[in-house]
Amino acid sequence: MARDSAVSKAIYTRHIRLYRLLNDAWIFTELLRPDLKERAQKLRTSKSKVKRPYLVPKRDGTVISQRRDEDIGLIFNAQHERGVFETNIVSLVSRTEAFIQDCLAIVATAYPKKLSVLADKGGIPLDLFLEHEEREDVIRRFVAMKCEGLMFGKPSEYLEKAAKVLTIELDADLVKAFIEIKASRDIIIHNSGRINKLYIEKVGDQRRGEDGEELVIDRDYFRHIIVTLKKLSGEIQSKTEQKYK
């Protein structure tokens, strides 16, 4: 059917876009980190005690913030060791979730009955029909609203509902790996990179440390994230292609 083909092609296009983004993030990080390390070493070994002026933004313009070379070297070192990975993790997990939402919207637009998986007893709010003229825009906004709500719950439930809407079955180990990555992202954002009980509760036997310990964020783990997110995107694309030929 033409409708099935359109669904498959649309998901494939978004998969390739995400796949390239993940590869770009890895390439950029690999190229950047040696420069960060070199700059960090030079600045941290500087003998100068002069506080150099750096322009930083404020509400109505800029203001000068003074730093010694050694202080700036510590900033570069922190980015080399951990910061560049953390920034990428936060961004890439969000982009992967956006990819999943796009896939849900694509399928739900083509097959509106699938919205029943996401909808509660109240159905689609009247406000959405009043705010959007196009049916596709209503569905896409409704899917986004429901996904945003699901993300505050357990990632396992979010992925389970996503799989139901897409009418596919995701590999259990891949789902567990993604749940751990998302929980690590939450620790980076909300707990300064330190493991807490909520993280342990979310990931179970996938945990990478104990309560109170600093979560390891390094090159090996970043590689694991790139590989896992590519696998998840690829699995969604290949299985939806089989379903919507």
Side-chain angles (χ1 to χ4, degrees):
M1 292 176 62
R3 180 172 57 173
D4 288 348
S5 177
V7 167
S8 179
K9 288 180 180 178
I11 291 176
Y12 176 78
T13 298
R14 284 157 179 80
H15 158 66
I16 292 299
R17 188 183 303 159
L18 177 60
Y19 202 88
R20 183 177 181 84
L21 177 74
L22 292 165
N23 284 338
D24 287 349
W26 177 262
I27 293 169
F28 176 76
T29 303
E30 286 287 278
L31 293 175
L32 178 63
R33 288 188 72 236
D35 289 339
L36 290 172
K37 184 177 182 179
E38 182 180 351
R39 291 288 298 275
Q41 289 176 337
K42 288 182 178 178
L43 288 163
R44 291 179 70 187
T45 57
S46 171
K47 302 299 183 182
S48 175
K49 298 300 180 183
V50 175
K51 287 189 175 182
R52 304 183 192 280
Y54 294 91
L55 289 178
V56 297
K58 68 174 186 177
R59 184 190 308 173
D60 56 354
T62 59
V63 64
I64 290 176
S65 181
Q66 295 182 325
R67 296 289 189 277
R68 295 187 178 90
D69 288 347
E70 183 180 0
D71 298 328
I72 300 300
L74 290 172
I75 296 173
F76 274 87
N77 187 67
Q79 287 298 313
H80 170 263
E81 295 296 322
R82 189 179 178 99
V84 69
F85 297 130
E86 291 184 331
T87 301
N88 271 294
I89 290 168
V90 171
S91 173
L92 296 178
V93 171
S94 294
R95 295 296 289 269
T96 302
E97 289 178 333
F99 162 74
I100 296 171
Q101 287 186 32
D102 281 347
C103 292
L104 295 180
I106 289 165
V107 172
T109 301
Y111 303 92
K113 289 184 179 180
K114 291 181 178 290
L115 287 173
S116 62
V117 178
L118 296 174
D120 51 30
K121 293 181 180 179
I124 300 178
L126 177 62
D127 288 351
L128 289 186
F129 289 99
L130 298 176
E131 292 172 4
H132 303 282
E133 295 183 2
E134 299 295 330
R135 169 174 166 273
E136 183 175 334
D137 292 336
V138 172
I139 292 174
R140 186 171 294 277
R141 180 58 191 141
F142 178 70
V143 170
M145 284 174 55
K146 301 307 291 185
C147 288
E148 287 166 7
L150 285 171
M151 286 177 193
F152 287 104
K154 295 180 179 180
S156 57
E157 294 176 358
Y158 166 66
L159 289 175
E160 181 182 356
K161 285 202 173 185
K164 284 182 180 179
V165 173
L166 300 175
T167 323
I168 62 174
E169 185 174 344
L170 296 172
D171 178 77
D173 290 337
L174 184 56
V175 169
K176 286 183 179 179
F178 178 75
I179 290 171
E180 193 286 319
I181 289 171
K182 184 167 168 35
S184 291
R185 188 279 302 268
D186 292 344
I187 286 294
I188 290 169
I189 295 174
H190 301 299
N191 208 46
S192 302
R194 292 212 165 268
I195 296 172
N196 58 18
K197 292 180 180 179
L198 183 58
Y199 166 86
I200 294 172
E201 179 184 326
K202 287 178 179 178
V203 305
D205 60 6
Q206 298 290 307
R207 69 180 185 271
R208 299 189 298 112
E210 302 299 332
D211 187 18
E213 295 178 354
E214 186 176 52
L215 197 63
V216 174
I217 304 292
D218 57 12
R219 183 179 182 273
D220 287 342
Y221 183 65
F222 185 55
R223 184 183 189 282
H224 163 73
I225 286 177
I226 296 294
V227 171
T228 301
L229 296 184
K230 288 169 71 173
K231 286 176 65 177
L232 179 61
S233 174
E235 178 154 311
I236 290 173
Q237 186 278 317
S238 63
K239 289 189 173 180
T240 50
E241 184 176 35
Q242 293 171 15
K243 179 67 181 179
Y244 305 99
K245 292 182 179 179

